[in-house]
Amino acid sequence: MDARFTDEQDEIRRALRELLHKRCGTEDVRAAVDRPEGYDTALWTVLGEQLGLPGLALPEAYGGTGCSRTEVVLAAEELGRALAPVPFLATAVLAAPLLLALGTDAQRAELLPRIADGSLTAALAVPGTRLGGALALTGPPAADWAGGGRAGGVQARRTADRWRLYGEADQVLDGHSAGLLLVPAHTGGYARSRVLFFLVPGDAAGVVRTRRTSLDATRSQGRVQLRNVEAELLGPAPDTDVRSALAGLGDFVAAVLAAEAVGAADRALERTVEYVKQREQFGRPIGSFQAVKHRLADVYVAVRAARSAAYYAAWATVHGEPAGGLALAQALEALRTAAGEGIQLHGGIGFTWEHEAHLYFKRAAGDELLFGPAHRLRGYAAEAAGLFAGREVAV
């Protein structure tokens, strides 16, 4: 493994950091999440038109830049540093790879160029509480990942030459604002049900969408209700292995999330260090006290270790080695530690909801609820690797 970044990768990181520094301060983030869309539409347009961020890993034939998934992971670190309120995760990381892998030539030609230039956003309509299972991060894909029971999930019914969907999915990332919905739906009745993907325009007749209050406002979520909605089957035939496609995407998603968490943890640490250098107590900066130095040193080590794991996962996701889940577990713990220590060391002001430290703490807690927690990520990684299988553990 060559751990050095190429000049092109360094340039992507530099350009993105400079843009986000100008356009994505704390006040900008707070203003963006209060918008009906839940994100900064102007910033997303700039990221699409000037940097080609949504299409970073899409082929040039579809308007993308043709980079590898490694570049996507590295870009995610910069987005995490700024807690950038943009639909990058839902559109470029969850939806676009599935369209590329499963869509017909006509579907790719119609949709992917619009995703690449930022004019079309997309959302994977999997309930937020089941994302970890659907992506095979916390266990093998469960039977109810697309919604279980007769009253749950979305059902698809074939009528003449078209499909119609009925049901709902809750806590869908950017589900309330996405221009395109990728909807997994049960077909064939529950006795012999299988799940297929369908394409539904966000403004289609019968679609009712409501923004939901989420712990992490920078990852906006929505409830998607489909009431006899006409839909298009994703792919050429109803024999697509949807479960394998999602599970294959999981390691890449985990690597992206790990890099985002590392970027956020690094920035939370930087802001805390800046504060303890300025805040004085007993006539000297509190950062000069040994106890404070030790606490921040522990955070620094945790962030550096998590960054190493995330960078390895970025390399591994291109070479087919499953490392994303373990990297995500370590990064989530580092972010939770950095954000928690930041709140503590900011003292009384750090405990107010209005302080920016809580944005990072909510990101850590929100990601663990959606994709973790860390012990389940590690547990399934150990199970998948066959550790302890058929062996007795010494007591």
Side-chain angles (χ1 to χ4, degrees), residues 273-312:
V273 171
E274 291 170 1
Y275 178 80
V276 299
K277 287 181 177 179
Q278 300 170 2
R279 170 70 173 172
E280 291 190 358
Q281 195 171 31
F282 304 115
R284 55 189 287 194
I286 63 173
S288 65
F289 297 127
Q290 191 175 42
V292 174
K293 290 181 180 179
H294 285 175
R295 292 173 68 171
L296 291 176
D298 288 341
V299 176
Y300 175 79
V301 170
V303 173
R304 294 291 294 182
R307 175 177 282 116
S308 296
Y311 286 174
Y312 177 76

Side-chain angles (χ1 to χ4, degrees), residues 13 17 77-78 80-83 258-274 296 299-307 311 331 334-339 360:
R13 289 155 57 90
R17 182 173 295 194
E77 183 181 358
E78 299 305 321
R81 281 181 60 88
L83 298 180
E260 274 193 350
V262 166
D266 188 51
R267 186 57 182 143
L269 175 60
E270 286 181 1
R271 294 189 176 193
T272 304
V273 171
E274 291 170 1
L296 291 176
V299 176
Y300 175 79
V301 170
V303 173
R304 294 291 294 182
R307 175 177 282 116
Y311 286 174
L335 176 54
R336 185 176 67 245
T337 300
Y360 294 93

